[in-house]
Amino acid sequence: MSSCNNSIPQPLIFVLAGIPGLESSHGWFSVPFFLVFVIAVIGNATILCIIWVEKGLHEPMFLLLAMLSVVDLSLVSVVVPRMLGIFWMHAKEISFNVCLTQMFFIPSFYVMESGILSAMAFDRFVAIWHPLRYTTILSHNMLVKMSLAILARAATLLTPAPILAKRLESFQTHIIAYSYCAYMAVVQIACGDISDHIVYGLMVIVASVGFDLFFIILSYGLILHAVFRIPSREARSKALSTCGSHFCVIALFYSPVVFSVLAQILGYHMAPHLQIIIDNLYFLVPPMLNPLIYGARTKQMREWVLRILQSWRPRLIIPEVDRRPGI
């Protein structure tokens, strides 16, 4: 129960605090945030261009990777510009309607990314267990259905968030101690009983990240069971290497979530600014590192990146000499 002695009605404008307690360091925080944004945009755009141009990469694994890059680009485009506005120009004010929009789209992209990682785990499972039927099972029609299911789940789970937040009538303050409009951050400054909102937030986590993480662990358990039954050591290494990039991305994506949940279960209360920094890592680090990981560990991607770098190498241009007589 959130008690309010001096409550205020639902404000038209909220103020985003950025990283509370570290306001004097906002300028320093803006540097890594900006670099992350630039690297994420260039890396994911490069991945999309390579997959678009190279017809040989129009396979299920790379098409799922293209979907991941689209979601990553969308996520950083929604999150980072607003943060940089706070850090650089002190543009902390945000209208309630824009806040509700952020409240829907930011977690929606996160849930979509989790769903795509789950689909990629299924892709690796089929590749290991049913290699001869791989393209039959993961046909273009199946990929479209999986994409629509991922999109529908995100929309279904997150549509109630702005609707429930819109119904909050009074607040303790109009200052949100966050760098973006997070649903629970808004709920925590509301007055009255917020138990239903907490239950809804937990339900979203369990139905998205919880379900996907369980499915991924199950898939990789079956994958490892199949791989270690292969008699040839070389074949085992090759099979595991095909899953290496995806496993790295999964570990990177879910580690902050698992760390945060374990900290709460064990009763460790982090400082508010540390919690906000970790929450920002949910949305910023995976979009930056995903293309780097796949670019480094996937042979086809490495070849294309090297080809692009070689085409940018400065060439020595020797002017042609006019050898006509008398000149």
Side-chain angles (χ1 to χ4, degrees):
M1 180 78 71
S2 300
S3 59
C4 300
N5 294 326
N6 298 310
S7 64
I8 60 173
Q10 186 183 97
L12 296 176
I13 300 292
F14 280 110
V15 174
L16 297 172
I19 304 178
L22 297 175
E23 287 85 357
S24 60
S25 302
H26 277 180
W28 292 104
F29 277 106
S30 68
V31 176
F33 277 76
F34 177 72
L35 292 176
V36 165
F37 179 70
V38 172
I39 295 171
V41 170
I42 293 175
N44 286 287
T46 302
I47 293 286
L48 287 173
C49 290
I50 291 173
I51 295 175
W52 177 272
V53 172
E54 180 55 58
K55 303 299 181 182
L57 297 182
H58 291 184
E59 300 175 359
M61 182 180 76
F62 293 105
L63 293 176
L64 288 171
L65 177 57
M67 291 169 52
L68 186 67
S69 293
V70 170
V71 172
D72 282 342
L73 281 172
S74 303
L75 187 57
V76 295
S77 298
V78 171
V79 175
V80 179
R82 169 62 66 174
M83 290 182 180
L84 294 179
I86 294 172
F87 296 155
W88 285 345
M89 298 175 287
H90 302 286
K92 297 184 176 182
E93 292 188 348
I94 182 171
S95 70
F96 189 55
N97 289 331
V98 174
C99 182
L100 295 178
T101 303
Q102 272 199 347
M103 196 181 295
F104 172 77
F105 279 105
I106 293 177
S108 291
F109 289 134
Y110 186 81
V111 170
M112 287 180 202
E113 182 158 354
S114 180
I116 293 171
L117 291 178
S118 179
M120 294 174 83
F122 178 68
D123 167 84
R124 294 299 85 201
F125 167 77
V126 175
I128 298 297
W129 275 78
H130 306 286
L132 299 180
R133 299 174 54 204
Y134 175 69
T135 54
T136 303
I137 296 174
L138 291 173
S139 62
H140 283 9
N141 288 336
M142 175 58 72
L143 290 177
V144 170
K145 292 177 182 178
M146 292 168 65
S147 304
L148 293 176
I150 291 169
L151 185 63
R153 184 185 68 164
T156 301
L157 289 177
L158 276 308
T159 296
I163 297 175
L164 292 173
K166 185 75 172 177
R167 294 179 179 177
L168 297 171
E169 297 179 353
S170 58
F171 292 82
Q172 305 170 46
T173 177
H174 68 292
I175 300 174
I176 301 174
Y178 248 70
S179 51
Y180 59 91
C181 270
Y183 173 72
M184 289 308 302
V186 174
V187 167
Q188 286 171 358
I189 63 173
C191 297
D193 186 5
I194 60 172
S195 57
D196 290 343
H197 297 272
I198 295 174
V199 171
Y200 165 71
L202 292 174
M203 182 198 72
V204 170
I205 294 174
V206 172
S208 56
V209 175
F211 174 81
D212 291 337
L213 195 53
F214 172 78
F215 182 79
I216 289 170
I217 292 172
L218 177 63
S219 297
Y220 270 92
L222 294 172
I223 287 171
L224 292 176
H225 176 70
V227 167
F228 286 112
R229 291 172 58 189
I230 300 175
S232 170
R233 184 175 181 179
E234 183 179 353
R236 284 201 303 269
S237 299
K238 185 177 180 180
L240 289 174
S241 67
T242 62
C243 304
S245 301
H246 185 232
F247 185 78
C248 292
V249 169
I250 288 171
L252 179 69
F253 182 81
Y254 290 107
S255 292
V257 181
V258 173
F259 173 78
S260 181
V261 171
L262 287 177
Q264 294 180 18
I265 292 175
L266 297 175
Y268 176 73
H269 298 287
M270 289 180 285
H273 65 270
L274 182 59
Q275 179 66 56
I276 292 172
I277 291 172
I278 292 176
D279 288 347
N280 287 332
L281 293 179
Y282 293 175
F283 304 116
L284 300 179
V285 176
M288 177 188 69
L289 293 183
N290 286 349
L292 300 180
I293 292 172
Y294 278 103
R297 295 187 59 89
T298 306
K299 180 181 178 182
Q300 296 93 324
M301 291 293 173
R302 284 201 307 269
E303 292 175 349
W304 263 93
V305 171
L306 289 174
R307 197 180 308 173
I308 292 172
L309 293 176
Q310 289 173 357
S311 67
W312 286 353
R313 183 185 302 171
R315 299 175 181 177
L316 180 61
I317 301 176
I318 302 176
E320 184 179 351
V321 178
D322 196 337
R323 299 183 180 277
R324 287 179 295 174
I327 297 181

